Amino acid sequence: MYWSKTFIPTLRENPKEAEVVSHNLLLRAGFIRKLAAGIYIFLPLGLRVIHKLERIIREEMDVSGAQEILMPALIPKELWDETGRWDIYGPELMRVQDRNKRNFALGPTHEEVVTHLVHSEVHSYRQLPVTFYQIQTKFRDEIRPRFGLMRGREFGMKDAYSFDRDEKGAEESYNKAYEAYNKIFKRCGLKFRAVYADTGQIGGSFSHEFMVLADTGEDFIAVCSSCDYASNISLAKNYLENVKDDALSGPVEEIDTPGIKSIEEVSGFLKVTPDKLIKTLLYKAGKEFAAVLIRGDLTLNETKLSNYFGGREVELAGEEEIMKVAKSPAGFIGPVGLKGIKILADHSIENIINGVTGANKKDKHLKNVNYKRDFFVTELLDLRKVKSGDMCPQCKGSLQIVKGIEVGHVFKLGLRYSKSLKAVFLDEDGREKFIVMGCYGIGIGRTAAAAIEQNHDKDGIIWPMALAPYHVVISLLDINSETTKSLAERCYRTFIKNGIEVLFDDRNEKPGVKFKDADLIGIPVRITIGAKRAVNNEVEIRIRKTGEVTIVKAEDLLNEVNKIILQNKGS
């Protein structure tokens, strides 16, 4: 394709609306344009990237045995009512009415539709397992659309759904999708990790997020430097070593701590380290209260606590509620003598010998407090938030907290939707059973944006070869030189003939402009053809990622470029 005949409206200045690197560069490089908040037009270069990503996804999903379908974006309210999600989903669900006042949703996801399809068409064990997928536009009324393609109100997604006879089959389908996703993101040339994750509004028994590692990521993930353990910070676990079986000292002792409430104040006043304190927090989930215990130097993970309460939102109780429910002034609550309330404790409190807690009295704390001798708990749980340097629960290596961008998510749904929508089959004995489901999504535009967040420099985008709109850009420097122009045309036709995707910069612009634009749009290989080298039948090859420059004879150019493309396949 000739640059002069392609719509590539590059910008020299940073757009004011851009909040992150990918948003800025996609706008500046002429890949997208904004229509409304969270809604974008894909221009020719941007659409080429999207099509390449979709092709990789289709190839790997087809190999995994999934079958492509296309479901409507407009979904009747009745289907959402059957699963209860018309109300549960909240204001993010785009709702519309037709001329007859019938209610519909613009699909943010398609569990209801695909389960309805299977309910209608699949009746026997002989028809299972089956996995359907689609690549389609989704809609979510985000309260604050931002970050360009990262969080939009209209966005492309590949969503897939598996249907199996039993849990064993569902696990096999899950693993197939998991492996397909690994292959997809490897082929895209991305550095990523599959991490344990929360199931969120989709629901299900367990899930993995696929995270592109980038310093600009919104999500924090815990990764082990010694093994493949990785988890979203909201669910990450760590290994706590058992403490030595020290002898317990004397009885519990009440001490004066006037006006001293915080962990830092108490540990400083009593000259003990924070890990000797048992922090007691009063939380509520709806109308249900619970005292939550955790070691003083650790941070409570509210997502884990919320999961204990079935996903209900949790929040700290106020001072009046603490006094009413725990009979304690705020800042001095503790587990000893606490009655009439559920006590949940992180496993870390098991290792505290002769600890310090609140005394449930104003300006009073207790010391020499020990679990099982001085107090008991309703349930021991993993409730702590991990931090860098913690021990890996899998291999006892060192955990590190890094940033990531979620680009894919796989869920084991179980029976949630098949029960709601009565998706059943008859087994070999003629017994009716519910179908076991899985769900698997990839954000299309989000993946393209994540690739930029991971691959860019001060000059622009550095596309991985697999996603780049073109493999090669030819920069013709002397447009009025017949020798130079002829050589550039020959190279261009050779690339076209041999299936190499090439953009020919034939514009009547200064070399500096062409070089800046080539770097900005991020084509992996730049071929520079100027008058000085053209007389010797030579051209310059420059690798965008490394800046490495090589001079080759024109007759060797095809072989050299093919080598570069092959070496960078999947990167």
Side-chain angles (χ1 to χ4, degrees):
M1 180 63 71
Y2 291 94
W3 195 306
S4 63
K5 296 179 181 179
T6 307
F7 186 61
I8 311 175
T10 58
L11 305 174
R12 291 288 168 254
E13 301 297 326
N14 293 325
K16 292 181 180 179
E17 67 186 85
E19 300 174 272
V20 293
V21 171
S22 60
H23 192 192
N24 176 49
L25 291 177
L26 284 165
L27 288 168
R28 281 191 57 210
F31 283 74
I32 63 172
R33 284 295 182 266
K34 178 181 173 180
L35 180 64
I39 303 172
Y40 290 89
I41 300 167
F42 283 91
L43 304 184
L45 291 186
L47 193 58
R48 286 183 68 89
V49 172
I50 296 302
H51 284 164
K52 286 193 168 189
L53 177 54
E54 289 177 347
R55 184 169 66 246
I56 291 171
I57 290 171
R58 282 191 170 95
E59 288 172 359
E60 294 300 336
M61 292 304 295
D62 290 347
V63 167
S64 75
Q67 302 175 64
E68 186 172 8
I69 61 174
L70 184 61
M71 292 178 275
L74 201 61
I75 307 172
K77 175 180 180 289
E78 289 76 15
L79 277 182
W80 289 87
D81 284 336
E82 288 190 54
T83 60
R85 290 209 295 173
W86 184 263
D87 297 318
I88 293 172
Y89 217 98
E92 285 189 2
L93 189 64
M94 289 272 197
R95 303 160 202 260
V96 297
Q97 283 188 337
D98 66 11
R99 68 184 67 193
N100 296 309
K101 305 299 183 183
R102 290 177 297 214
N103 291 306
F104 294 82
L106 291 176
T109 182
H110 274 67
E111 285 81 11
E112 282 83 0
V113 178
V114 74
T115 309
H116 172 76
L117 171 69
V118 170
H119 160 77
S120 302
E121 303 294 335
V122 175
H123 308 293
S124 169
Y125 71 92
R126 294 186 179 90
Q127 296 171 278
L128 298 172
V130 65
T131 297
F132 296 117
Y133 79 94
Q134 66 172 349
I135 296 177
Q136 192 222 40
T137 301
K138 307 289 188 186
F139 302 88
R140 289 179 191 167
D141 194 2
E142 292 280 356
I143 188 170
R144 188 190 165 204
R146 53 182 177 157
F147 304 152
L149 301 184
M150 288 290 187
R151 183 166 295 174
R153 293 194 294 164
E154 177 179 321
F155 53 94
M157 178 181 282
K158 188 287 301 177
D159 48 324
Y161 307 90
S162 62
F163 300 85
D164 285 273
R165 298 170 56 182
D166 51 31
E167 289 290 337
K168 181 180 178 182
E171 188 169 331
E172 290 175 1
S173 293
Y174 185 96
N175 290 335
K176 285 181 181 179
Y178 182 91
E179 290 304 319
Y181 275 36
N182 276 289
K183 292 176 182 177
I184 287 166
F185 295 120
K186 283 179 183 176
R187 285 184 60 185
C188 288
L190 301 175
K191 296 176 183 176
F192 69 95
R193 293 291 291 265
V195 306
Y196 297 109
D198 188 36
T199 57
Q201 288 184 329
I202 302 296
S205 53
F206 65 88
S207 70
H208 285 86
E209 290 171 334
F210 285 78
M211 293 278 195
V212 169
L213 305 182
D215 292 337
T216 52
E218 288 186 275
D219 295 299
F220 288 91
I221 58 177
V223 298
C224 180
S225 56
S226 303
C227 73
D228 63 355
Y229 178 81
S231 175
N232 190 293
I233 195 72
S234 64
L235 293 180
K237 301 176 182 294
N238 69 339
Y239 177 80
L240 284 178
E241 290 186 297
N242 289 326
V243 74
K244 293 180 181 178
D245 187 21
D246 295 332
L248 305 186
S249 62
V252 173
E253 181 181 346
E254 185 177 284
I255 51 178
D256 292 324
T257 52
I260 295 171
K261 300 179 180 181
S262 71
I263 294 295
E264 293 77 13
E265 290 172 340
V266 174
S267 60
F269 182 78
L270 298 179
K271 294 181 174 54
V272 297
T273 55
D275 61 351
K276 283 290 187 181
L277 274 63
I278 300 174
K279 182 164 50 178
T280 305
L281 305 166
L282 186 65
Y283 270 87
K284 60 179 180 178
K287 295 182 179 180
E288 186 176 0
F289 287 86
V292 182
L293 313 183
I294 191 167
R295 204 171 71 193
D297 62 325
L298 300 178
T299 302
L300 181 74
N301 187 321
E302 290 188 349
T303 300
K304 292 180 179 179
L305 183 61
S306 172
N307 288 340
Y308 172 83
F309 287 106
R312 283 183 286 165
E313 184 179 349
V314 297
E315 60 179 325
L316 283 166
E319 291 188 12
E320 292 183 4
E321 291 172 317
I322 294 173
M323 180 59 75
K324 181 179 179 180
V325 174
K327 308 295 189 295
S328 169
F332 298 96
I333 185 173
V336 178
L338 195 59
K339 296 179 180 179
I341 185 173
K342 182 181 293 185
I343 301 178
L344 307 175
D346 180 70
H347 288 286
S348 59
I349 66 106
E350 293 181 280
N351 295 338
I352 298 176
I353 303 297
N354 304 322
V356 176
T357 75
N360 296 318
K361 300 177 184 178
K362 184 176 176 58
D363 297 332
K364 302 287 184 181
H365 278 77
L366 303 177
K367 67 178 185 179
N368 298 330
V369 173
N370 292 279
Y371 171 57
K372 288 187 177 179
R373 188 194 71 174
D374 305 311
F375 70 92
F376 293 90
V377 302
T378 309
E379 194 166 352
L380 280 168
L381 305 163
D382 172 23
L383 294 173
R384 61 194 172 277
K385 183 180 289 186
V386 303
K387 60 184 183 299
S388 288
D390 283 350
M391 293 177 68
C392 172
Q394 193 163 284
C395 74
K396 300 183 185 178
S398 178
L399 292 177
Q400 299 300 317
I401 308 302
V402 299
K403 286 185 175 182
I405 300 167
E406 181 193 343
V407 292
H409 209 155
V410 293
F411 301 83
K412 187 178 177 185
L413 293 176
L415 305 179
R416 174 177 176 177
Y417 294 93
S418 53
K419 279 189 173 181
S420 298
L421 293 156
K422 299 178 177 59
V424 297
F425 70 99
L426 296 179
D427 66 11
E428 296 94 328
D429 301 323
R431 292 178 299 178
E432 191 174 81
K433 293 182 178 179
F434 286 108
I435 297 173
V436 186
M437 291 177 57
C439 168
Y440 321 98
I442 292 177
I444 305 296
R446 190 177 178 87
T447 298
I452 296 173
E453 295 290 338
Q454 191 178 81
N455 299 280
H456 68 273
D457 61 17
K458 62 181 179 60
D459 296 315
I461 303 169
I462 306 174
W463 283 113
M465 189 68 73
L467 298 182
Y470 294 93
H471 299 137
V472 174
V473 58
I474 294 176
S475 297
L476 172 59
L477 302 188
D478 301 283
I479 194 169
N480 296 318
S481 165
E482 286 302 321
T483 301
T484 309
K485 190 174 181 180
S486 175
L487 177 58
E489 288 283 358
R490 288 203 313 272
C491 294
Y492 176 67
R493 288 194 296 271
T494 299
F495 285 145
I496 294 291
K497 183 179 178 180
N498 287 274
I500 292 175
E501 299 170 11
V502 56
L503 179 63
F504 185 0
D505 193 349
D506 60 330
R507 296 174 297 165
N508 187 14
E509 294 281 1
K510 293 179 180 180
V513 172
K514 294 191 174 189
F515 293 157
K516 282 184 177 296
D517 279 346
D519 283 347
L520 178 60
I521 67 176
I523 307 301
V525 182
R526 189 183 79 202
I527 309 300
T528 304
I529 301 178
K532 290 183 180 179
R533 298 200 186 280
V535 295
N536 297 318
N537 202 37
E538 292 178 338
V539 300
E540 177 186 290
I541 303 174
R542 181 178 182 271
I543 308 301
R544 174 70 180 90
K545 186 175 184 178
T546 64
E548 179 185 354
V549 173
T550 307
I551 309 301
V552 300
K553 290 291 185 181
E555 56 266 28
D556 298 324
L557 179 60
L558 178 61
N559 286 336
E560 290 299 319
V561 169
N562 271 325
K563 286 180 186 177
I564 293 168
I565 293 173
L566 186 62
Q567 289 168 356
N568 290 276
K569 193 175 182 180
S571 66

